[in-house]
Amino acid sequence: MEEVVEKYAVYLRDLKGASENTILSYQRDLRHFICFLKDSGVEKIQDVTRTNITAYLLNLQKKGRSTSTISRNIASIRSFFQFLQKTNVIKEDLTQDLESPKIEKKLPEILSVQEVDLLLRQPNEKDLKGIRDKAMLEVLYATGIRVSELICLEESDVNLTLEYIKCADPNHSRERIIPLGASAVKALKLYLEKVRFAMIRDPNESALFVNCNGKPMTRQGFWKIIKVYSKKANINKEITPHMLRHSFAAHLVANGADLQSVQEMLGHSDISTTQIYAQLNRNKLKEVYSKAHPRA
């Protein structure tokens, strides 16, 4: 059965164009599945039954595997059996009736307004690096863009006169126009006037944010920056760039912004993704009520 899994991996790579991470994930899931089959006395893929597949999924549940892990295994097995049927290894796809367990959406962790303010006050605005870092953090929180979008911004994407940035979504062709708040405008203006030109080596460099070598800032570079300042601020949370995106959206909704506007700024294709921030706000109201009402 291992040989069939290897052929499936080639199929994913060459014909489906799957990433190496996806292929490795599928292979890992299928190897565990095959080990279970062999322990159950099944030696050929043609001898697998629906009962075998169901027993494997029940075994994952007994082992305490998470709902998301079981769902991923179902996706791996289902894709594998579709390949087997397509290549005539088996006559019938045994996974057609498999249902993935419902995954309970976890509410994202956010920073409070006070914690964001504390984080943004950490960069030292008396040196070039601190001014750049302050500008990056302010833009990230002011706009809610992804870190991948932040590092792809070009100098021409910034309009300080009208106080907005243009952001090209890496996963979609459309461009978003996102307002900048006064703090972000001030930080960006200082960075552009005092720092960027001093940092770049190539006058034709178009990237808005660059590292100390004058090259475009990388994801890894920015992750290191945010880790340094979160530690310096002594905030007892695992702060990530995406947490600032979540905080941006949650704070807007909490202060009365409508979901459709927040959806537009975040670049969500489906408003159901944005509705999670309304849920966060409802939970906060319940918490406040429980603490404050004398008969709660």
Side-chain angles (χ1 to χ4, degrees):
M1 287 188 276
E2 289 83 355
E3 295 84 356
V4 186
V5 173
E6 289 305 317
K7 288 180 182 178
Y8 173 60
V10 172
Y11 162 79
L12 288 175
R13 185 180 294 108
D14 297 346
L15 295 179
K16 301 295 284 184
S19 69
E20 283 302 315
N21 282 342
T22 298
I23 295 167
L24 289 171
S25 177
Y26 276 31
Q27 284 179 309
R28 183 172 58 249
D29 290 343
L30 292 172
R31 286 193 187 108
H32 290 314
F33 177 52
I34 286 171
C35 284
F36 176 83
L37 291 175
K38 288 185 174 181
D39 289 343
S40 304
V42 180
E43 294 294 334
K44 294 181 181 179
I45 202 72
Q46 292 84 352
D47 295 335
V48 178
T49 65
R50 282 190 177 86
T51 303
N52 294 137
I53 299 173
T54 303
Y56 176 65
L57 298 176
L58 288 172
N59 185 56
L60 291 178
Q61 286 181 330
K62 286 179 182 177
K63 287 183 175 179
R65 299 294 184 263
S66 67
T67 305
S68 58
T69 297
I70 294 171
S71 292
R72 194 198 66 230
N73 272 269
I74 289 174
S76 299
I77 294 169
R78 183 182 285 131
S79 176
F80 180 53
F81 273 83
Q82 287 170 353
F83 162 77
L84 295 175
Q85 186 185 36
K86 188 179 290 186
T87 53
N88 298 316
V89 175
I90 59 174
K91 293 179 181 179
E92 182 187 7
D93 178 5
L94 303 174
T95 65
Q96 284 182 338
D97 300 326
L98 277 182
E99 290 186 8
S100 297
K102 289 184 179 179
I103 300 175
E104 185 180 340
K105 281 189 177 179
K106 287 184 179 179
L107 295 178
E109 189 174 6
I110 63 169
L111 295 170
S112 68
V113 174
Q114 293 76 18
E115 287 170 332
V116 171
D117 184 59
L118 180 59
L119 178 68
L120 297 184
R121 282 193 277 112
Q122 296 312 308
N124 180 5
E125 294 183 79
K126 292 182 180 179
D127 64 55
L128 299 184
K129 186 176 177 298
I131 293 172
R132 180 206 61 194
D133 296 348
K134 169 79 168 174
M136 293 187 79
L137 290 169
E138 287 282 4
V139 169
L140 199 65
Y141 177 62
T143 61
I145 59 177
R146 304 169 181 89
V147 65
S148 55
E149 295 169 335
L150 179 76
I151 62 174
C152 286
L153 285 175
E154 298 190 350
E155 188 180 14
S156 59
D157 292 327
V158 178
N159 189 321
L160 291 179
T161 305
L162 297 179
E163 301 184 350
Y164 71 79
I165 60 166
K166 289 187 298 180
C167 177
D169 191 329
N171 299 316
H172 303 88
S173 56
R174 70 191 186 94
E175 195 173 61
R176 310 199 306 281
I177 302 295
I178 311 173
L180 288 168
S183 296
V185 169
K186 180 182 175 184
L188 262 178
K189 190 173 182 182
L190 184 62
Y191 167 69
L192 288 171
E193 288 178 354
K194 305 281 187 181
V195 178
R196 185 179 177 278
F197 187 74
M199 280 189 166
I200 59 173
R201 306 284 175 86
D202 180 358
N204 295 316
E205 178 59 64
S206 61
L208 174 61
F209 294 113
V210 295
N211 60 28
C212 294
N213 295 319
K215 300 292 184 182
M217 178 64 65
T218 63
R219 286 175 65 93
Q220 295 85 349
F222 185 68
W223 268 80
K224 288 178 183 176
I225 288 169
I226 209 166
K227 291 294 181 188
V228 167
Y229 292 124
S230 61
K231 186 176 181 181
K232 193 175 175 185
N234 200 26
I235 298 172
N236 192 26
K237 289 179 182 176
E238 187 68 24
I239 301 178
T240 67
H242 216 69
M243 190 183 284
L244 278 177
R245 175 173 164 86
H246 289 316
S247 303
F248 157 85
H251 296 166
L252 279 178
V253 172
N255 285 292
D258 65 278
L259 285 179
Q260 213 161 9
S261 297
V262 177
Q263 176 194 4
E264 181 66 25
M265 285 184 277
L266 290 173
H268 287 163
S269 56
D270 191 336
I271 200 166
S272 64
T273 311
T274 319
Q275 284 170 340
I276 195 167
Y277 300 109
Q279 178 65 40
L280 270 174
N281 193 40
R282 284 194 292 271
N283 285 4
K284 180 65 178 176
L285 288 174
K286 287 178 185 175
E287 185 183 328
V288 170
Y289 180 86
S290 297
K291 288 180 179 177
H293 197 285
R295 298 177 70 87

